[in-house]
Amino acid sequence: MVIPNLFRTVLLCFLPLLVWSGCGPSSVSQGPIKHSTNQPSSLANPSLPAFPGIGPQTATGTQQGTIFHNRATEAGVVFRYTNGEDAETFAILDSLGGGVGYLDFDQDGQLDLLFPGGGTYRQNQTITGQPTGLFRQIDRWQFQDVSRHAGTLDETRYTHGAAVADANNDGFPDVLVTGYQGLLFYINNGDGTFVESANTAGLTDQLWSSSAAWGDFNSDSIPDLYIAHYVNWSPQNDPVCRSAKGDRRDICPPREFEPLPDTLYLGNGDGTFRDSTPAAGLSPNGKGLGVIAADIDLDGLQDLYVANDTVPNFLYKNLGGGHFEDVSNSSGTAVNDRGLPDGSMGVDVGDFDLDGLPDIWVSNFERESFALYRNFGNCMFRHVSQATAITAVGSGFVGWGTSFFDWDCDGDEDVFVANGHVIRYPASGEVNQLPLLFENEGSKRFRNIAPTAGPWMNQPHPGRGCATGDLDRDGDLDLVVSLVNEPVALLCNELPASPHWLKVRLIGLETCRDGFAARVTVRTNETTQCRQIKGGGSYASTSDFVLHFGLGNFELIRELRVDWPSGTIDYLQHIPTKQLLTIREGDHPLAPTNP
């Protein structure tokens, strides 16, 4: 463990009060953001309509009585991640679990689902994998298992994560599956089948990988890939550890193992990749479990945040050309509010306070609080979990998959967390744990409403990965959760009322097709919301790339603006709600002077 010295602790406490240069907006602001002075030059272009300050506004009151109903069985999605714990080997390999991938692999307009299967480590030191499950949606809440036909039944890897992206810009989503013994890379043939192509694509990484994030890190319109690695465990490095009471063997903690360095692959444009780690400026001392690629400082480049287990987290500022600067310590996002590293698993980026700046959320281990880092600009953050009442839920949770999402369509982003313990015999005696659903109240505080959000939310589970998307195309966001040795959950969001919403699908042309780092700003007469296309996130999972905006009672969007990393700006006005809007880069370039 890295224990910060007194100077670092004092420094981190006062960092949010200082002004730093060289990253993001030019001044720290705790109030509304004036785009003409604090945003990148594309937003300050005088030929374009200037959006007013983005402040902590919400569209309407929160919808009450929402139920999340688990419809996995009736939908035909029968799948479980298995970790082989019945082999009684007590390896840390068993503890990670798996993720979820949203994708429309056949491009029929309906979201499909992909689940890594896990594996088994046996006492004879053999490691076997379980096949990846692929479920095609054939109608609302009707899925068909197409794993065998699609070709995702490879069992050569003990698998964890599902990182989805259109890796070759051909219009069909591909899948990178992380795990022990190497990667699986499923290239979509466009005919309902995939071909595993990790070696031929140059993705020859053999380290134990947990999560991955796609992005365009050198701005060449070709997708790139960041691989987060965990610890240096192997059958030959498998110590015996005892439970908290010392009366039986249990899984060893990550502190027993050395960290593994992460890997950055840059795309070559021909479907292959090159290892560009040495020149990237990455730290070798992480124990990565979650990773997200997002434009944190709003300069048009995708930055990286890595959730590490028991060692400081990483925030990498993208300098361009595939090079990064580690600003973890100076940003205040490496450690918690006591100056100590957390056991971090899941991560997401959103704008919880509606000030236009991307904030960072991290799910952590028990006896720690979940971390909410508020963005003040200039790569400066403050740990605000206590101030926003996140800590009110206590510190008994082991958090994994997590997501910002506006489940009630009221205009601000809420947070879901899937929880579950990593060892067999925790001191609490509880391996399964309750999930958390934090309702965003006025962009200032959060309140856990999971106990009133339906039977599944009110029961403990061995939670791991989760992802969000509108599975049934009714305008609100549904949840899919991967569990350990239990069937996956498909949680249908059943809003009791009918609030307004907008979904935006971006198609890049100069930018890579998935539109990584493109930002969409939506304005009604009273509210302004910002979203961006992110890579990775949650834990070992991929949510739908379609951006979702809850609009409450507002029936008309006054202005919508897309800022692409290429510098292109698309601008639309007077848009009806309750629709899926597809925007191709450059389709709407005319921006009137007077909005």
Side-chain angles (χ1 to χ4, degrees), residues 29 46 88 149 155 178 221 236 248 250 267 290 306 309 312 326 335 410 427 441 526 533 555:
S29 170
E88 294 294 309
H149 173 75
E155 300 180 24
T178 62
S221 304
Q236 294 74 39
R248 61 186 80 183
D250 208 338
V306 184
D309 195 357
D326 187 345
V335 293
D410 69 345
E441 298 185 322
E526 299 179 18
I533 304 292
E555 299 182 3

Side-chain angles (χ1 to χ4, degrees), residues 167-168 185 187 197 200-202 268-273:
N168 51 13
F185 184 36
I187 291 291
S197 305
T200 57
N268 294 319
D270 59 358
T272 66
F273 298 82

Side-chain angles (χ1 to χ4, degrees), residues 65-109:
T66 292
I67 298 289
F68 281 88
H69 177 209
N70 184 11
R71 304 187 65 172
T73 300
E74 63 184 88
V77 180
V78 180
F79 188 88
R80 70 176 64 203
Y81 179 98
T82 59
N83 68 352
E85 68 178 38
D86 55 347
E88 294 294 309
T89 52
F90 298 96
I92 193 174
L93 181 65
D94 299 347
S95 65
L96 293 198
V100 180
Y102 275 79
L103 71 168
D104 181 5
F105 80 92
D106 53 1
Q107 293 296 282
D108 66 351

Side-chain angles (χ1 to χ4, degrees), residues 68-78 100 102 113 115 135 141-143 456 471 478-482 487-493:
F68 281 88
H69 177 209
N70 184 11
R71 304 187 65 172
T73 300
E74 63 184 88
V77 180
V78 180
V100 180
Y102 275 79
L113 296 170
F115 304 96
F135 292 82
W141 301 111
Q142 295 182 32
F143 290 80
W456 192 94
L471 279 175
D478 309 297
L479 278 164
V480 179
V481 185
S482 175
V488 299
L490 271 63
L491 302 179
C492 173
N493 185 349

